[in-house]
Amino acid sequence: MGDCMTCRILLYSLTGNTLKVGEGLAWELGAQLHEIETPAPERGFWARVKMSVLTFLSNSGTVYAPDQPWARSDLMILGTPAWSGRASRPMRRWLEAGPELPERVAFLITADTDTCPESVVEDLTKLSGRSPVAVLFVNDADLASGNWTDNMQRFLNLCVIRYRQSA
């Protein structure tokens, strides 16, 4: 499905759900998949409370992303879990650093909610400075049941640039 299109995927995945979807997209698109890394998260109830509070404090936390020529791609997919109705802090931190992005971006959002949190789409749109060509939302229940591939195909159809052969 790649159709001579260059695509890079950059995502942050705390539990592996966003990574699983990202791997499926990378396979379908022939895309390069990259992950944002952070220091190992703390575990337990208080760690989750702390993470929820820090979600709203954008200036906290260290993130590491590979140095790539992001802007030279035809498409870049930004993937993040939803945290308390926001894009994950690592993804927000990376975007706040002002990386050069291509004109065409798409968003991958995972969450434990039934519907896509529009606030996460707004976060990513504002921070990237781009309106997405497509948004793929996968909730935990659909991921567990494998019931997300139809949504992925619709997403891919919106993302792929089909080059015309001229005679």
Side-chain angles (χ1 to χ4, degrees), residues 147-165:
N147 189 25
W148 57 279
T149 54
D150 287 346
N151 288 341
M152 181 176 73
Q153 286 306 315
R154 283 190 288 277
F155 175 82
L156 292 171
N157 286 337
L158 292 170
C159 289
V160 173
I161 298 173
R162 302 197 189 278
Y163 293 97
R164 296 183 194 172
Q165 299 281 340

PDB file of all heavy atoms in Angstrom, residues 147-165:
ATOM      1  N   ASN A 147     -10.755  -5.696  16.829  1.00  0.00           N
ATOM      2  CA  ASN A 147     -11.821  -5.080  16.053  1.00  0.00           C
ATOM      3  C   ASN A 147     -11.472  -3.639  15.654  1.00  0.00           C
ATOM      4  O   ASN A 147     -12.262  -2.735  15.844  1.00  0.00           O
ATOM      5  CB  ASN A 147     -13.127  -5.117  16.869  1.00  0.00           C
ATOM      6  CG  ASN A 147     -14.319  -4.695  16.063  1.00  0.00           C
ATOM      7  OD1 ASN A 147     -14.322  -4.806  14.854  1.00  0.00           O
ATOM      8  ND2 ASN A 147     -15.329  -4.187  16.747  1.00  0.00           N
ATOM      9  N   TRP A 148     -10.290  -3.425  15.119  1.00  0.00           N
ATOM     10  CA  TRP A 148      -9.895  -2.074  14.732  1.00  0.00           C
ATOM     11  C   TRP A 148      -9.345  -2.009  13.313  1.00  0.00           C
ATOM     12  O   TRP A 148      -9.035  -0.940  12.806  1.00  0.00           O
ATOM     13  CB  TRP A 148      -8.872  -1.503  15.715  1.00  0.00           C
ATOM     14  CG  TRP A 148      -7.635  -2.337  15.879  1.00  0.00           C
ATOM     15  CD1 TRP A 148      -7.501  -3.445  16.657  1.00  0.00           C
ATOM     16  CD2 TRP A 148      -6.369  -2.153  15.246  1.00  0.00           C
ATOM     17  NE1 TRP A 148      -6.243  -3.952  16.545  1.00  0.00           N
ATOM     18  CE2 TRP A 148      -5.516  -3.167  15.684  1.00  0.00           C
ATOM     19  CE3 TRP A 148      -5.878  -1.217  14.350  1.00  0.00           C
ATOM     20  CZ2 TRP A 148      -4.201  -3.299  15.267  1.00  0.00           C
ATOM     21  CZ3 TRP A 148      -4.560  -1.334  13.933  1.00  0.00           C
ATOM     22  CH2 TRP A 148      -3.745  -2.365  14.389  1.00  0.00           C
ATOM     23  N   THR A 149      -9.278  -3.146  12.629  1.00  0.00           N
ATOM     24  CA  THR A 149      -8.665  -3.156  11.303  1.00  0.00           C
ATOM     25  C   THR A 149      -9.500  -2.430  10.253  1.00  0.00           C
ATOM     26  O   THR A 149      -8.941  -1.844   9.331  1.00  0.00           O
ATOM     27  CB  THR A 149      -8.349  -4.593  10.851  1.00  0.00           C
ATOM     28  OG1 THR A 149      -9.545  -5.367  10.935  1.00  0.00           O
ATOM     29  CG2 THR A 149      -7.263  -5.210  11.728  1.00  0.00           C
ATOM     30  N   ASP A 150     -10.844  -2.434  10.364  1.00  0.00           N
ATOM     31  CA  ASP A 150     -11.667  -1.676   9.411  1.00  0.00           C
ATOM     32  C   ASP A 150     -11.389  -0.180   9.536  1.00  0.00           C
ATOM     33  O   ASP A 150     -11.253   0.522   8.534  1.00  0.00           O
ATOM     34  CB  ASP A 150     -13.158  -1.933   9.640  1.00  0.00           C
ATOM     35  CG  ASP A 150     -13.579  -3.314   9.168  1.00  0.00           C
ATOM     36  OD1 ASP A 150     -12.806  -3.968   8.438  1.00  0.00           O
ATOM     37  OD2 ASP A 150     -14.690  -3.740   9.542  1.00  0.00           O
ATOM     38  N   ASN A 151     -11.290   0.299  10.787  1.00  0.00           N
ATOM     39  CA  ASN A 151     -10.955   1.716  11.006  1.00  0.00           C
ATOM     40  C   ASN A 151      -9.572   2.030  10.453  1.00  0.00           C
ATOM     41  O   ASN A 151      -9.343   3.116   9.917  1.00  0.00           O
ATOM     42  CB  ASN A 151     -11.018   2.069  12.484  1.00  0.00           C
ATOM     43  CG  ASN A 151     -12.432   2.115  13.007  1.00  0.00           C
ATOM     44  OD1 ASN A 151     -13.385   2.234  12.246  1.00  0.00           O
ATOM     45  ND2 ASN A 151     -12.585   1.993  14.310  1.00  0.00           N
ATOM     46  N   MET A 152      -8.642   1.080  10.596  1.00  0.00           N
ATOM     47  CA  MET A 152      -7.293   1.296  10.087  1.00  0.00           C
ATOM     48  C   MET A 152      -7.320   1.439   8.566  1.00  0.00           C
ATOM     49  O   MET A 152      -6.640   2.305   8.014  1.00  0.00           O
ATOM     50  CB  MET A 152      -6.359   0.159  10.488  1.00  0.00           C
ATOM     51  CG  MET A 152      -4.939   0.379   9.985  1.00  0.00           C
ATOM     52  SD  MET A 152      -3.743  -0.860  10.514  1.00  0.00           S
ATOM     53  CE  MET A 152      -4.224  -2.257   9.523  1.00  0.00           C
ATOM     54  N   GLN A 153      -8.117   0.642   7.873  1.00  0.00           N
ATOM     55  CA  GLN A 153      -8.178   0.731   6.413  1.00  0.00           C
ATOM     56  C   GLN A 153      -8.731   2.076   5.964  1.00  0.00           C
ATOM     57  O   GLN A 153      -8.223   2.672   5.008  1.00  0.00           O
ATOM     58  CB  GLN A 153      -8.997  -0.428   5.834  1.00  0.00           C
ATOM     59  CG  GLN A 153      -8.261  -1.754   5.861  1.00  0.00           C
ATOM     60  CD  GLN A 153      -6.900  -1.700   5.193  1.00  0.00           C
ATOM     61  OE1 GLN A 153      -6.727  -1.143   4.109  1.00  0.00           O
ATOM     62  NE2 GLN A 153      -5.896  -2.260   5.857  1.00  0.00           N
ATOM     63  N   ARG A 154      -9.757   2.568   6.640  1.00  0.00           N
ATOM     64  CA  ARG A 154     -10.296   3.896   6.298  1.00  0.00           C
ATOM     65  C   ARG A 154      -9.232   4.979   6.522  1.00  0.00           C
ATOM     66  O   ARG A 154      -9.069   5.890   5.714  1.00  0.00           O
ATOM     67  CB  ARG A 154     -11.544   4.196   7.129  1.00  0.00           C
ATOM     68  CG  ARG A 154     -12.781   3.458   6.633  1.00  0.00           C
ATOM     69  CD  ARG A 154     -14.046   3.944   7.305  1.00  0.00           C
ATOM     70  NE  ARG A 154     -14.151   3.534   8.694  1.00  0.00           N
ATOM     71  CZ  ARG A 154     -14.603   2.348   9.099  1.00  0.00           C
ATOM     72  NH1 ARG A 154     -15.015   1.469   8.218  1.00  0.00           N
ATOM     73  NH2 ARG A 154     -14.668   2.062  10.382  1.00  0.00           N
ATOM     74  N   PHE A 155      -8.507   4.877   7.625  1.00  0.00           N
ATOM     75  CA  PHE A 155      -7.426   5.803   7.947  1.00  0.00           C
ATOM     76  C   PHE A 155      -6.354   5.764   6.848  1.00  0.00           C
ATOM     77  O   PHE A 155      -5.930   6.812   6.352  1.00  0.00           O
ATOM     78  CB  PHE A 155      -6.836   5.408   9.310  1.00  0.00           C
ATOM     79  CG  PHE A 155      -5.625   6.182   9.737  1.00  0.00           C
ATOM     80  CD1 PHE A 155      -5.753   7.425  10.319  1.00  0.00           C
ATOM     81  CD2 PHE A 155      -4.356   5.642   9.601  1.00  0.00           C
ATOM     82  CE1 PHE A 155      -4.637   8.130  10.750  1.00  0.00           C
ATOM     83  CE2 PHE A 155      -3.235   6.331  10.034  1.00  0.00           C
ATOM     84  CZ  PHE A 155      -3.374   7.580  10.601  1.00  0.00           C
ATOM     85  N   LEU A 156      -5.940   4.570   6.457  1.00  0.00           N
ATOM     86  CA  LEU A 156      -4.902   4.422   5.437  1.00  0.00           C
ATOM     87  C   LEU A 156      -5.348   5.017   4.103  1.00  0.00           C
ATOM     88  O   LEU A 156      -4.552   5.652   3.406  1.00  0.00           O
ATOM     89  CB  LEU A 156      -4.527   2.952   5.259  1.00  0.00           C
ATOM     90  CG  LEU A 156      -3.807   2.312   6.449  1.00  0.00           C
ATOM     91  CD1 LEU A 156      -3.678   0.808   6.248  1.00  0.00           C
ATOM     92  CD2 LEU A 156      -2.454   2.955   6.688  1.00  0.00           C
ATOM     93  N   ASN A 157      -6.612   4.832   3.762  1.00  0.00           N
ATOM     94  CA  ASN A 157      -7.123   5.396   2.510  1.00  0.00           C
ATOM     95  C   ASN A 157      -7.043   6.914   2.505  1.00  0.00           C
ATOM     96  O   ASN A 157      -6.821   7.519   1.458  1.00  0.00           O
ATOM     97  CB  ASN A 157      -8.555   4.935   2.248  1.00  0.00           C
ATOM     98  CG  ASN A 157      -8.620   3.489   1.817  1.00  0.00           C
ATOM     99  OD1 ASN A 157      -7.647   2.926   1.314  1.00  0.00           O
ATOM    100  ND2 ASN A 157      -9.756   2.866   2.035  1.00  0.00           N
ATOM    101  N   LEU A 158      -7.223   7.540   3.649  1.00  0.00           N
ATOM    102  CA  LEU A 158      -7.102   8.998   3.741  1.00  0.00           C
ATOM    103  C   LEU A 158      -5.640   9.452   3.719  1.00  0.00           C
ATOM    104  O   LEU A 158      -5.329  10.565   3.292  1.00  0.00           O
ATOM    105  CB  LEU A 158      -7.774   9.508   5.017  1.00  0.00           C
ATOM    106  CG  LEU A 158      -9.295   9.370   5.069  1.00  0.00           C
ATOM    107  CD1 LEU A 158      -9.804   9.689   6.470  1.00  0.00           C
ATOM    108  CD2 LEU A 158      -9.947  10.279   4.037  1.00  0.00           C
ATOM    109  N   CYS A 159      -4.753   8.606   4.206  1.00  0.00           N
ATOM    110  CA  CYS A 159      -3.340   8.971   4.321  1.00  0.00           C
ATOM    111  C   CYS A 159      -2.545   8.814   3.041  1.00  0.00           C
ATOM    112  O   CYS A 159      -1.646   9.603   2.755  1.00  0.00           O
ATOM    113  CB  CYS A 159      -2.665   8.113   5.397  1.00  0.00           C
ATOM    114  SG  CYS A 159      -3.154   8.521   7.073  1.00  0.00           S
ATOM    115  N   VAL A 160      -2.842   7.781   2.288  1.00  0.00           N
ATOM    116  CA  VAL A 160      -1.997   7.417   1.160  1.00  0.00           C
ATOM    117  C   VAL A 160      -2.172   8.382  -0.003  1.00  0.00           C
ATOM    118  O   VAL A 160      -3.280   8.695  -0.406  1.00  0.00           O
ATOM    119  CB  VAL A 160      -2.290   5.964   0.713  1.00  0.00           C
ATOM    120  CG1 VAL A 160      -1.552   5.620  -0.575  1.00  0.00           C
ATOM    121  CG2 VAL A 160      -1.891   5.000   1.809  1.00  0.00           C
ATOM    122  N   ILE A 161      -1.040   8.831  -0.531  1.00  0.00           N
ATOM    123  CA  ILE A 161      -1.020   9.641  -1.750  1.00  0.00           C
ATOM    124  C   ILE A 161      -0.810   8.655  -2.891  1.00  0.00           C
ATOM    125  O   ILE A 161       0.169   7.918  -2.912  1.00  0.00           O
ATOM    126  CB  ILE A 161       0.154  10.650  -1.760  1.00  0.00           C
ATOM    127  CG1 ILE A 161       0.042  11.629  -0.614  1.00  0.00           C
ATOM    128  CG2 ILE A 161       0.213  11.376  -3.091  1.00  0.00           C
ATOM    129  CD1 ILE A 161       1.252  12.534  -0.474  1.00  0.00           C
ATOM    130  N   ARG A 162      -1.711   8.632  -3.795  1.00  0.00           N
ATOM    131  CA  ARG A 162      -1.571   7.741  -4.947  1.00  0.00           C
ATOM    132  C   ARG A 162      -1.038   8.569  -6.121  1.00  0.00           C
ATOM    133  O   ARG A 162      -1.692   9.487  -6.604  1.00  0.00           O
ATOM    134  CB  ARG A 162      -2.903   7.093  -5.290  1.00  0.00           C
ATOM    135  CG  ARG A 162      -3.444   6.322  -4.109  1.00  0.00           C
ATOM    136  CD  ARG A 162      -4.507   5.359  -4.505  1.00  0.00           C
ATOM    137  NE  ARG A 162      -5.151   4.793  -3.335  1.00  0.00           N
ATOM    138  CZ  ARG A 162      -4.664   3.776  -2.626  1.00  0.00           C
ATOM    139  NH1 ARG A 162      -3.520   3.251  -2.934  1.00  0.00           N
ATOM    140  NH2 ARG A 162      -5.325   3.316  -1.572  1.00  0.00           N
ATOM    141  N   TYR A 163       0.162   8.215  -6.540  1.00  0.00           N
ATOM    142  CA  TYR A 163       0.782   8.944  -7.647  1.00  0.00           C
ATOM    143  C   TYR A 163       0.221   8.447  -8.961  1.00  0.00           C
ATOM    144  O   TYR A 163       0.106   7.249  -9.182  1.00  0.00           O
ATOM    145  CB  TYR A 163       2.304   8.766  -7.612  1.00  0.00           C
ATOM    146  CG  TYR A 163       2.906   9.421  -6.408  1.00  0.00           C
ATOM    147  CD1 TYR A 163       3.194   8.694  -5.266  1.00  0.00           C
ATOM    148  CD2 TYR A 163       3.168  10.783  -6.397  1.00  0.00           C
ATOM    149  CE1 TYR A 163       3.721   9.299  -4.149  1.00  0.00           C
ATOM    150  CE2 TYR A 163       3.706  11.398  -5.292  1.00  0.00           C
ATOM    151  CZ  TYR A 163       3.992  10.653  -4.169  1.00  0.00           C
ATOM    152  OH  TYR A 163       4.519  11.253  -3.075  1.00  0.00           O
ATOM    153  N   ARG A 164      -0.137   9.384  -9.835  1.00  0.00           N
ATOM    154  CA  ARG A 164      -0.699   9.009 -11.139  1.00  0.00           C
ATOM    155  C   ARG A 164       0.429   8.819 -12.148  1.00  0.00           C
ATOM    156  O   ARG A 164       1.373   9.590 -12.178  1.00  0.00           O
ATOM    157  CB  ARG A 164      -1.644  10.094 -11.643  1.00  0.00           C
ATOM    158  CG  ARG A 164      -2.833  10.251 -10.751  1.00  0.00           C
ATOM    159  CD  ARG A 164      -3.756  11.271 -11.312  1.00  0.00           C
ATOM    160  NE  ARG A 164      -4.688  11.614 -10.229  1.00  0.00           N
ATOM    161  CZ  ARG A 164      -5.545  12.579 -10.304  1.00  0.00           C
ATOM    162  NH1 ARG A 164      -5.609  13.336 -11.356  1.00  0.00           N
ATOM    163  NH2 ARG A 164      -6.351  12.824  -9.295  1.00  0.00           N
ATOM    164  N   GLN A 165       0.261   7.817 -12.956  1.00  0.00           N
ATOM    165  CA  GLN A 165       1.204   7.581 -14.051  1.00  0.00           C
ATOM    166  C   GLN A 165       0.784   8.469 -15.208  1.00  0.00           C
ATOM    167  O   GLN A 165      -0.370   8.473 -15.601  1.00  0.00           O
ATOM    168  CB  GLN A 165       1.144   6.109 -14.490  1.00  0.00           C
ATOM    169  CG  GLN A 165       1.521   5.120 -13.398  1.00  0.00           C
ATOM    170  CD  GLN A 165       3.020   5.025 -13.230  1.00  0.00           C
ATOM    171  OE1 GLN A 165       3.778   5.387 -14.116  1.00  0.00           O
ATOM    172  NE2 GLN A 165       3.459   4.547 -12.083  1.00  0.00           N
TER     173      GLN A 165
END
